[in-house]
Amino acid sequence: MSDVMEHFRKTILITGGAGFIGCHVVKRFVRNYPDCLILNFDKLTYAGNLENLSEIENENNYRFLKGDIVNEADVSKVFADYQIDSVIHLAAESHVDRSISNPMAFIMTNIVGTVNLLNAAKLNWAGKMNDKRFYHISTDEVFGSLGETGFFTETTPYYPRSPYSAAKASSDHLVRAYYHTFDLPVVVTNCSNNYGPNQFPEKLIPLMIHNIKNKKPLPVYGKGDNVRDWLYVEDHAEAIDLVFHQGTTGETYNIGGNNEWKNIDIVRHICRIMDDKLNRIAGESEELITFVTDRPGHDLRYAIDASRIKKELGWSPKHDFEKGIEKTIDWYLTNTLWLENVTTGEYRKYYEQQYDNRQ
Ligand code: NAD
Ligand code: DAU
C-alpha cells in the first residue's frame, strides 16, 4: 500500500482521465481539491492522450496509472496499492461508429470493465461503505431516439439502439444492480453530447473543424436532420463535481445543454465562423459539405430534461453555445501540434475505412 495517501484526506480514482471529458474532470479535481489524491487510471487507447493533462501532470496530488479496466488484475492492483475512497468512472469506448464496426471492444470495456471496477469496490469497501462513492458516468443515448418533440427524463425507459449505447445501458443497469443487491453507494449521471477542447477528431464537431481547416470534405450523415443537445465540456465537469459531492446515493441525474441543433445547421455554423477566422470568402467552407450514407440505426434526436439537477443541486450550463463553440474552434486552431499528433497513424487508417465507402 502506497504511503503517499497519508498526506491526503481522500483518494479519488478517476478512470478514463486521459480522454476528452476525463481530462477536464481530472484537471478540475486536481486544482479544486489539493487535499485529495487524484489517481488517473487509463489504458491510453487511441482516445487517451496524456498531453491533455500536461498543465497538471506535476502537481503533488496527481498520479497517472496506466491500466486496463478489462484486466481484473490491473484493477485489483490499484485497489491493493491505494486505499480508494471514491471512483469516478469515465473509461469507455465512446464512439458510436466504431461500435458498429467492432462491437466486442465496447462489450469488453464498457460492460466487463465496469463490472471489474464494481467488484473491486465491493470487495475493498465491504463493511465500510458509508463514506464511499462509486460514480458512473453515462450517456443520454441509453434512452434511444426521440421524435420531433419530448425530452429524456430520469425515468424514461431505456431503449438503446447502437452497440455503444446498449453496452452503456448494460453498465448502467449493472451499477444500479450493485446498489440494490450489495448496497454499493453508487450515483449515475446521463449526459448529452459534449463539445470543447481535447475532443478526439472522430466526433462531429472536432472532425468538422479539422476538415474545414484542411479543406477536406465535410461528411454529413444522411440529410443532416438528426438533432443533438450540445453541452460545453467544462459545464459537464462542473456538474460531475457537484453530483460527486452532493448527489444522493442510489439516484440518477440527467445532464444536458438545453441546446438542440440539427447536424447540418451546426456544420454550417462552424463553416461560417471558420471562414471568418481563416479569412476565407464567405460560403467557401460550406462548399465542402458532402452528404454521405447514413449511420445504421442513426438516432434521430436526443434532448435532455435537466430540471432535476437544476432544482436539487442548482446546476445549469454556464457557457452559451456562441461563446463555447468559438472557444472550441480557437483551441483547435491554436493547438495544431495536438491535432497533428492525434491525426497520424491509427486514426488515419480508421478515417479511410470509415469514410471511403460513404462518399
Ligand atoms: P473518450 O473516448 O474521449 O475517452 C475515453 C478514455 O477512456 C480514454 O482516455 C481511453 O484511453 C480510456 N479507456 C478506454 N478503454 C479503457 C480501458 N479498457 N481501460 C482503461 N481506460 C480505458 O471518451 P469521452 O468522450 O471523454 O467519454 C467519457 C465518458 O463519458 C464515457 O463513459 C462516455 O460514455 C461518457 N459520455 C460521453 C459523452 C460525449 O459527448 N463525449 C456524453 C455523455 C457521456
Ligand atoms: O449523446 C451523448 C453521446 O454523444 C456520447 O455518449 C458519445 O460518446 C458521443 O460520441 C456522442 O455520440 P454521437 O453519436 O451523438 O456523436 P458524434 O459526434 O459521433 O455524432 C454527432 C452527430 O453527427 C450524429 O447525429 C452523427 C453525425 N455525424 C457524425 C460524424 C462523426 C455526421 O453527420 N458525420 C460525421 O462524420
Side-chain angles (χ1 to χ4, degrees), residues 111-180:
I111 307 177
V112 177
T114 301
V115 175
N116 280 337
L117 286 164
L118 289 166
N119 282 339
K122 172 177 164 277
L123 182 74
N124 287 276
W125 296 349
K128 44 184 178 188
M129 298 275 190
N130 274 352
D131 57 347
K132 304 289 189 277
R133 171 141 280 190
F134 189 104
Y135 182 177
H136 179 63
I137 307 294
S138 193
T139 170
D140 60 358
E141 300 204 7
V142 296
F143 299 119
S145 184
L146 288 167
E148 310 240 312
T149 57
F151 295 90
F152 298 133
T153 71
E154 286 80 2
T155 56
T156 301
Y158 274 29
Y159 189 12
R161 293 158 28 103
S162 73
Y164 163 68
S165 54
K168 288 296 290 188
S170 177
S171 65
D172 294 10
H173 288 316
L174 285 156
V175 169
R176 294 189 184 109
Y178 273 61
Y179 168 68
H180 291 291

Side-chain angles (χ1 to χ4, degrees), residues 285-316:
S285 298
E286 278 195 31
E287 307 259 306
L288 298 167
I289 292 175
T290 313
F291 292 96
V292 299
T293 311
D294 211 351
R295 173 185 280 174
H298 196 173
D299 290 336
L300 176 67
R301 176 173 163 259
Y302 304 142
I304 281 277
D305 173 351
S307 53
R308 178 176 195 188
I309 188 171
K310 184 173 183 189
K311 192 165 150 241
E312 293 183 19
L313 304 181
W315 176 87
S316 53

Side-chain angles (χ1 to χ4, degrees), residues 94 139-141 164 193 204 219 221 228 263 295 298 355:
S94 69
T139 170
D140 60 358
E141 300 204 7
Y164 163 68
N193 286 64
L204 181 75
Y221 296 167
R228 297 292 182 266
N263 293 338
R295 173 185 280 174
H298 196 173
Y355 293 103

Side-chain angles (χ1 to χ4, degrees), residues 69-71 106-117 174:
I69 57 169
V70 178
N71 185 332
F106 288 69
I107 306 307
M108 294 311 291
T109 294
N110 299 1
I111 307 177
V112 177
T114 301
V115 175
N116 280 337
L117 286 164
L174 285 156

